[in-house]
Amino acid sequence: MHFCPYCHGYEVRDSALGVIGGEDRAFSLRQAQLIRQWSDDVVFFPHRIDLEAQEREQLVARGVRIVDGEVTRIVSDETGVRGVELAEGPMIRRAALFVGPRFVPSDELLTALGCELNDEGWVATDRTGRTSIDGVWAPGNVVDHTAQLINAAAAGSAAAIALNNHYLVAADVEKALNGHTEPAPAN
Ligand SMILES: Cc1cc2nc3c(=O)[nH]c(=O)nc-3n(C[C@H](O)[C@H](O)[C@H](O)COP(=O)(O)OP(=O)(O)OC[C@H]3O[C@@H](n4cnc5c(N)ncnc54)[C@H](O)[C@@H]3O)c2cc1C
């Protein structure tokens, strides 16, 4: 079972693909269109999504087959996904399946420290990853579920530079001053 067309689409391109409707309706519908970019053979299983006429038309226009009904089981074996079983009807054979995830940040440490949250309920940061708590930076997926590896690594780099600029340089100077006995020469 896959989640991301950018992470896994290429590997399953041009095969019989399926997209199962998840809790986030808009995400699921977009995901079906994204997966369609990887294969001409895509089935969308709305599952518990009651498609509106326009949504149905957009899928059909792109050649996405819609199979209504509640998904009851993903059939798989040691080679991977074999297909999808619905409450009624035969198994629909598929080589790979995608489903919309629910993004949940592992931010217990940050919330326990009292970091402020943004409107979406994720820890709020500035563009360097700086949180509302002095000295605490949070880069990557813990604050941004859209970050791919390269973005998360770049955010980590920006946070490290900001930390060094804001704290570590000053700490070096303070430490040096504490052990410094001679006054600075006057100009
Ligand atoms: C199934 C899947 C496939 C993916 N494929 C791709 C891909 O092909 N290409 C791509 O670019 N991106 C891919 N991604 C996204 C990629 O994994 C992320 O962009 C990246 O891992 C984010 O890095 P991060 O350091 O922010 O978070 P993470 O990699 O999640 O690292 C956070 C770490 O912190 C640890 N941690 C959490 N809480 C605590 C705590 N309280 N104390 C100590 N440690 C803690 C966690 O255990 C984890 O090891 C994929 C993601 C998933 C889920």
Side-chain angles (χ1 to χ4, degrees):
M1 186 73 84
H2 303 297
F3 309 100
C4 172
Y6 303 107
C7 300
H8 304 117
Y10 180 80
E11 285 76 6
V12 297
R13 68 193 183 283
D14 299 326
S15 59
L17 304 179
V19 178
I20 300 175
E23 291 174 11
D24 186 336
R25 176 196 195 96
F27 189 102
S28 291
L29 290 166
R30 192 167 58 252
Q31 196 180 34
Q33 296 289 7
L34 287 166
I35 299 308
R36 173 65 183 82
Q37 293 180 314
W38 286 112
S39 173
D40 294 339
D41 181 4
V42 176
V43 173
F44 181 58
F45 302 91
H47 187 44
R48 291 177 185 152
I49 296 174
D50 191 11
L51 287 177
E52 290 171 7
Q54 193 193 13
E55 294 167 337
R56 202 171 276 276
E57 191 181 345
Q58 286 173 348
L59 291 164
V60 171
R62 281 288 285 146
V64 175
R65 190 153 67 93
I66 300 166
V67 176
D68 291 302
E70 187 161 336
V71 173
T72 51
R73 197 161 77 100
I74 309 300
V75 182
S76 63
D77 62 19
E78 63 284 351
T79 64
V81 167
R82 307 291 296 168
V84 174
E85 274 184 10
L86 299 143
E88 287 175 32
M91 180 181 89
I92 311 292
R93 288 196 172 277
R94 294 287 92 188
L97 292 169
F98 288 78
V99 69
R102 180 165 10 103
F103 298 102
V104 180
S106 302
D107 61 2
E108 301 80 10
L109 184 60
L110 299 169
T111 52
L113 287 170
C115 294
E116 277 175 18
L117 305 182
N118 60 27
D119 292 344
E120 282 82 47
W122 288 55
V123 168
T125 66
D126 71 8
R127 64 184 191 85
T128 71
R130 185 182 203 160
T131 71
S132 61
I133 300 294
D134 193 35
V136 178
W137 267 261
N141 274 175
V142 73
V143 293
D144 176 10
H145 69 78
T146 67
Q148 296 281 86
L149 275 175
I150 195 167
N151 312 108
S157 165
I161 289 171
L163 263 167
N164 194 44
N165 281 340
H166 283 95
Y167 287 95
L168 302 184
V169 169
D172 283 347
V173 173
E174 195 171 335
K175 195 172 160 194
L177 282 174
N178 285 341
H180 189 81
T181 48
E182 289 176 33
N187 285 328

